[in-house]
Amino acid sequence: MRRRLRGLMASILLLMLLAPGGRAEFSPGFLDMEKDGVTATLQCSLSKLQNAGEDSLAVLNDWLSRVAFLSAVRDQDARTEITLDGKTAFLAQTHRGPQYTLTAFGPEGGAYITAPDQKNALELMLGESPLSLSPAPFMQAYPAFAQALYGTLGKYAAPKLAKERTSIRNAAASAAYETYLFKKGELTADIWQEALDAALPAVREAAEEYPGAYAQLEETLRALGFSGECRFKRFLNADGQDMGMQLTCQTGIGGDMKSATLYFGFTPGMGGYFSLKRGDLRLVLEYRETAEKRVRTLYFAWEHQTAEKTFKGSVNLRNAVGEDQEAWSGKIEIRQTENKAQTVWTLTPALTLDEAGLHGTVKASRTEKNKETLKGEITLTVRRGAETDAPAAPAARDLREMDGEQAKAAVQGELIPLTGVIARLIKTAPEETRDHLLHDLRTDAWMNGPAAALTEDTDSWIVKEDRNP
């Protein structure tokens, strides 16, 4: 159940962060708000939950009405807070500096130091969602990346120009391309590392807001090896400027070589397309925008497919811009297929941006095996300004020398206040109501899901289940 809620929260973060911040053209009003920092609050309610009757839903909605989520962001500081009955139940404050990121948990949690290219402690605890990454900065960095990359590759493989038109999805068509051909054994590790040394600084600068993603990208690229013939196509626009590429080769890490095809193209103000196929892996990213006088649109889609799982999603947002307000609408959809069973999350925003900020509702639903199992509504408010004082931490645990799994394990104790919130809510319900509710929620996913840590609040309640109801 925690994984499902995390998927929903990731989608809300995508709506709040990707749409406004990823492309300023989509919302001029939000861009102006961001200058002073923003504070977002949300509350949830349910109208349907699998196996839950009216009485159980009433109890759940009473609990949800007492819980509020807050996120504040300004410059290099952020604050994430969950309140119960108006009192702080969970708090995480982060400050990102040039040498390290400090995360402090409250009300009485620990503090942790991570490297700029690591996930911060909150991301380690909850798991950073790929959905919170905007593709725009990486796409916009491509021209500078390409000039440096091909400047190096051209020293070892003379380019051949072909003035042929190539269609690229969501972008303008390429007017010509150059081919850089490396025959078997010619693209050596030394040449590849030299090319990356020249090209990666352009990506590092563009990915300043995503240090963890950049670090993972660099690590993967530097570990790549090549075998057989490698062919680079350098797509050029009508002005002869870089706009995309196609790479076909045998590549892998640690000798695991497989045929791979990478295809990419991007046009500022229009959009772009990225596709990677290698063995059973398929990764697709699409990005498209329009900015007409009164209506702005943003479209972003992704697909990650392996032999076992398929994960797809799309964001399709529309913004009707008026003189004094903006109206956001559209749909966000996330699909996951595993063992031929498909789960679909759908979010439908109806938001207004005016002098009071961005506010409105996001309807949410979950469908499993073509059956609707959850339906609810999220009330969202984003206002100008953010209280994000840098966290005070006289003693902080240094995670910079730990690998990802070690660092993740080190912060898991900070989850206990969250399980305490659930325990305190359950504790307030009458015994009969509590028993009935837990009976309704006792699905296979609930029973076989990850275990939660026990807290002091659990000692006064017991889950009872009648074997013969």
Side-chain angles (χ1 to χ4, degrees):
M1 184 173 184
R2 200 159 52 205
R3 287 194 296 266
R4 290 174 176 171
L5 292 175
R6 187 178 302 165
L8 176 59
M9 291 303 299
S11 303
I12 299 303
L13 287 174
L14 183 67
L15 175 64
M16 291 163 48
L17 301 179
L18 173 61
R23 296 305 302 150
E25 291 86 348
F26 176 76
S27 176
F30 199 97
L31 176 65
D32 182 63
M33 283 178 58
E34 282 186 314
K35 296 175 183 178
D36 302 318
V38 293
T39 298
T41 58
L42 64 87
Q43 284 192 292
C44 307
S45 62
L46 294 172
S47 57
K48 182 176 183 178
L49 182 63
Q50 184 180 21
N51 298 328
E54 291 185 8
D55 292 342
S56 295
L57 274 177
V59 173
L60 287 170
N61 280 318
D62 176 64
W63 292 352
L64 288 172
S65 70
R66 298 164 56 190
V67 177
F69 302 86
L70 179 146
S71 177
V73 180
R74 183 180 61 191
D75 298 329
Q76 305 303 314
D77 298 319
R79 176 186 179 93
T80 300
E81 184 177 10
I82 299 176
T83 63
L84 174 60
D85 296 329
K87 297 180 180 179
T88 300
F90 175 84
L91 175 65
Q93 293 177 282
T94 62
H95 172 74
R96 184 158 63 89
Q99 303 299 324
Y100 63 87
T101 299
L102 173 64
T103 305
F105 293 92
E108 297 179 357
Y112 304 86
I113 292 175
T114 51
D117 59 354
Q118 279 181 298
K119 296 177 180 179
N120 65 45
L122 179 63
E123 293 166 347
L124 287 168
M125 187 182 75
L126 297 178
E128 180 184 31
S129 170
L131 308 185
S132 64
L133 299 180
S134 168
F138 296 91
M139 290 183 173
Q140 290 170 340
Y142 177 73
F145 171 86
Q147 290 177 28
L149 176 72
Y150 293 115
T152 301
L153 296 181
K155 294 190 299 183
Y156 304 97
K160 293 184 179 181
L161 178 65
K163 293 185 177 180
E164 296 181 9
R165 186 178 184 274
T166 305
S167 297
I168 300 175
R169 191 167 184 174
N170 302 325
S174 167
Y177 61 84
E178 293 178 344
T179 300
Y180 297 72
L181 178 62
F182 290 83
K183 295 181 180 179
K184 183 178 180 180
E186 291 184 347
L187 184 54
T188 65
D190 288 342
I191 294 174
W192 181 239
Q193 295 303 319
E194 181 184 349
L196 292 178
D197 288 341
L200 283 177
V203 182
R204 184 187 299 114
E205 182 178 352
E208 182 180 1
E209 296 299 317
Y210 308 109
Y214 171 78
Q216 187 174 22
L217 174 65
E218 179 176 6
E219 181 182 356
T220 301
L221 289 176
R222 289 198 179 277
L224 285 179
F226 299 91
S227 66
E229 180 181 281
C230 293
R231 184 185 300 268
F232 293 81
K233 277 188 178 181
R234 181 184 187 180
F235 294 130
L236 305 172
N237 63 19
D239 297 324
Q241 302 300 309
D242 283 287
M243 64 168 295
M245 67 178 293
Q246 181 177 345
L247 169 62
T248 53
C249 61
Q250 290 268 341
T251 186
I253 297 175
D256 179 24
M257 297 294 169
K258 293 181 181 179
S259 295
T261 301
L262 182 148
Y263 190 92
F264 165 77
F266 173 70
T267 301
M270 291 182 61
Y273 179 81
F274 174 93
S275 172
L276 173 63
K277 297 179 182 178
R278 181 182 178 273
D280 293 327
L281 172 67
R282 174 179 168 84
L283 176 64
V284 177
L285 295 171
E286 286 190 65
Y287 171 74
R288 183 172 66 246
E289 63 171 310
T290 65
E292 299 175 0
K293 185 176 181 180
R294 292 293 183 185
V295 178
R296 317 285 180 100
T297 64
L298 175 68
Y299 176 78
F300 174 55
W302 64 95
E303 177 181 345
H304 182 216
Q305 181 176 326
T306 66
E308 298 82 20
K309 285 184 181 181
T310 299
F311 184 68
K312 298 181 180 180
S314 64
V315 176
N316 199 339
L317 297 178
R318 181 180 186 272
N319 183 10
V321 180
E323 293 183 4
D324 300 319
Q325 68 175 29
E326 300 176 7
W328 296 19
S329 59
K331 184 169 75 171
I332 300 171
E333 189 171 82
I334 301 169
R335 294 176 177 266
Q336 180 175 325
T337 303
E338 185 174 6
N339 298 325
K340 297 183 179 181
Q342 187 178 82
T343 300
V344 182
W345 281 97
T346 303
L347 302 171
T348 307
L351 301 169
T352 300
L353 194 154
D354 53 26
E355 291 183 355
L358 179 68
H359 51 91
T361 61
V362 180
K363 293 183 178 179
S365 66
R366 183 187 69 218
T367 302
E368 297 177 281
K369 298 179 181 178
N370 296 319
K371 181 181 179 182
E372 188 176 60
T373 56
L374 180 146
K375 190 175 182 180
E377 187 172 88
I378 298 147
T379 301
L380 175 67
T381 301
V382 184
R383 59 176 176 80
R384 184 190 297 269
E387 296 181 5
T388 54
D389 295 334
R397 186 173 180 182
D398 196 334
L399 309 181
R400 285 176 289 185
E401 299 301 321
M402 296 184 182
D403 62 30
E405 290 303 315
Q406 290 174 327
K408 183 177 180 180
V411 301
Q412 287 308 298
E414 304 298 339
L415 273 171
I416 291 177
L418 289 177
T419 59
V421 171
I422 299 172
R424 289 197 295 274
L425 288 170
I426 292 177
K427 183 178 176 181
T428 61
E431 183 176 356
E432 183 178 350
T433 302
R434 185 170 63 225
D435 292 346
H436 184 66
L437 172 62
L438 294 174
H439 169 80
D440 285 351
L441 295 179
R442 188 168 288 193
T443 62
D444 289 341
W446 174 282
M447 295 301 295
N448 298 320
L454 293 176
T455 76
E456 294 179 359
D457 288 310
T458 62
D459 61 0
S460 61
W461 56 270
I462 301 172
V463 178
K464 295 192 299 184
E465 181 70 16
D466 219 348
R467 291 186 178 273
N468 300 296

